[in-house]
Amino acid sequence: MSFSFTNPEPNRDDGRSFSFTGSDPADIDRQLQTIADMAHEILRRVDDVRRQINN
């Protein structure tokens, strides 16, 4: 399985998209959960840094 960012058509709202390749939906679900977990951790750390800066 691979995960890639692509440049979609210019009229898309966010200017970005991503796609998964592979045939096993369970693998895709695991990858999405891993990405969600990493995003949550990044946001938590950003919040920690913001608190330190503001104190």
Side-chain angles (χ1 to χ4, degrees):
M1 174 182 301
S2 67
F3 176 76
S4 63
F5 286 95
T6 59
N7 290 325
E9 305 82 48
N11 62 353
R12 292 243 174 130
D13 290 340
D14 65 357
R16 298 181 199 182
S17 70
F18 63 89
S19 62
F20 290 96
T21 57
S23 59
D24 187 357
D27 285 342
I28 293 172
D29 285 342
R30 281 191 290 274
Q31 288 291 325
L32 289 172
Q33 186 60 53
T34 299
I35 293 166
D37 292 345
M38 288 188 297
H40 179 77
E41 180 64 15
I42 290 167
L43 292 173
R44 188 188 67 74
R45 290 179 184 223
V46 166
D47 191 46
D48 288 346
V49 170
R50 283 184 177 155
R51 259 189 303 232
Q52 290 174 12
I53 290 171
N54 290 329
N55 287 334

